[in-house]
Structure formats: structure tokens, C-alpha cells
Amino acid sequence: MITAQQGHLTVVPPPDRATSAEQAVCTLPVTPAAAPALRHFATTSARGWGLGDDVRDALALVVTELVANVVLHSGSADVTLRLHLLPTQRSVRVEVRDAGHWHPRPARPDPAAPLDADEGCAERGRGLAIVEACALRTAVRLTPDGTTVRADLPLG
């Protein structure tokens, strides 16, 4: 397992390689620097696991989108990125956890209706759709302690 707390990286072997998936964990303060730092942490971890360029690119995009959402909307002091390499499922799981309390975004009255000019050029509001397009599965878990967003990305 690779762990990092407040920017200090430590490599710790899993207790039992036969039953434990490879993991990488990093917790950082929620600042604008968190997204690029966690993106670098994720792609470095993926490179260490021997994952290809396509997987690393998708991982970088998903981590950037999820961490940017935390920075912009959560109100949390810290953000934790946890990666799980799941070779038997042919995927890598991305989990981004924060201590914030999110409110669901209001749905568009008619999702099938064409976007108006302002919506079509909007700079925000597409992050989770991008994550879902890259992932096999996504999930959001809201608890009294915060929010965890999970995305399972295919290994190829």
C-alpha cells in the first residue's frame, strides 16, 4: 500500500498479498493545489502498478474532476484519495472522500430538451457526467461524516 499524509509519501506492503488488492491513499488539505497534487499521486501510483497510458489518462481526468468538486463545493478541510487496483475485476477503483455535506443539484425540468445557449457554453456542471462516461460504475455515499464518491475504471 502507498500512503501519503499531508504530502509525505510512505510505501507500506499489504499484510497479505494473496488477499489484499494494491492500494494507494493520500490525504491533503482542500486547496486549489489539491487537484493537481492528487492527480500526480494517482498517475504515479498507476505507473508503479504498470497500468497503461489510457488508464492513467482516464484516472487523471476522473481524479481531477472529483477533487475539483470537493474544492469548489464541499466546505471540507481535507480530501482523501484512495485507489484500489482490482486485477480480478479488471478495474481500478477511485474513491474521493471529504467531510463536507453536499446538496443534490436540481434536475433540469426536461433532460431531453436541448440546452439553451447559456447551458451549452457553461464552464461547470459536467464533472460527474465526465466521470460516469469514463467509469464502469459510479456511486455516491452521503453519511453524517461526509461524502464518498467512487468510480471503477476499466483496466483496458
Side-chain angles (χ1 to χ4, degrees), residues 1-3 5 23-27 38 41 49 59 63 79-85 92-97 149-151:
M1 175 165 67
I2 302 169
T3 63
Q5 294 291 330
Q23 294 184 55
V25 179
C26 184
T27 298
L38 290 173
F41 177 80
W49 293 334
L59 184 61
V63 167
V79 58
T80 298
L81 170 65
R82 182 178 302 269
L83 304 172
H84 302 268
L85 180 61
V92 60
R93 177 166 291 162
V94 178
E95 292 180 353
V96 173
R97 184 177 190 305
V149 180
R150 183 182 77 207

Side-chain angles (χ1 to χ4, degrees), residues 19-152:
T19 59
S20 178
E22 290 287 332
Q23 294 184 55
V25 179
C26 184
T27 298
L28 294 175
V30 173
T31 68
L38 290 173
R39 178 178 55 242
H40 177 74
F41 177 80
T43 56
T44 300
S45 299
R47 186 173 292 110
W49 293 334
L51 301 183
D53 290 343
D54 289 347
V55 177
R56 290 195 314 263
D57 290 347
L59 184 61
L61 179 61
V62 166
V63 167
T64 300
E65 291 298 335
L66 295 179
V67 175
N69 281 345
V70 171
V71 171
L72 294 171
H73 305 295
S74 76
S76 180
D78 295 315
V79 58
T80 298
L81 170 65
R82 182 178 302 269
L83 304 172
H84 302 268
L85 180 61
L86 305 168
T88 59
Q89 296 177 25
R90 302 275 312 131
S91 64
V92 60
R93 177 166 291 162
V94 178
E95 292 180 353
V96 173
R97 184 177 190 305
D98 63 72
H101 299 286
W102 295 70
H103 301 287
R105 184 175 205 187
R108 291 179 56 219
D110 180 4
L115 297 174
D116 67 28
D118 290 336
E119 288 177 307
C121 296
E123 294 179 12
R124 298 184 187 209
R126 293 184 178 88
L128 291 178
I130 291 169
V131 170
E132 288 172 347
C134 293
L136 298 166
R137 290 169 294 283
T138 60
V140 177
R141 188 178 73 210
L142 304 171
T143 68
D145 296 329
T147 304
T148 301
V149 180
R150 183 182 77 207
D152 291 350

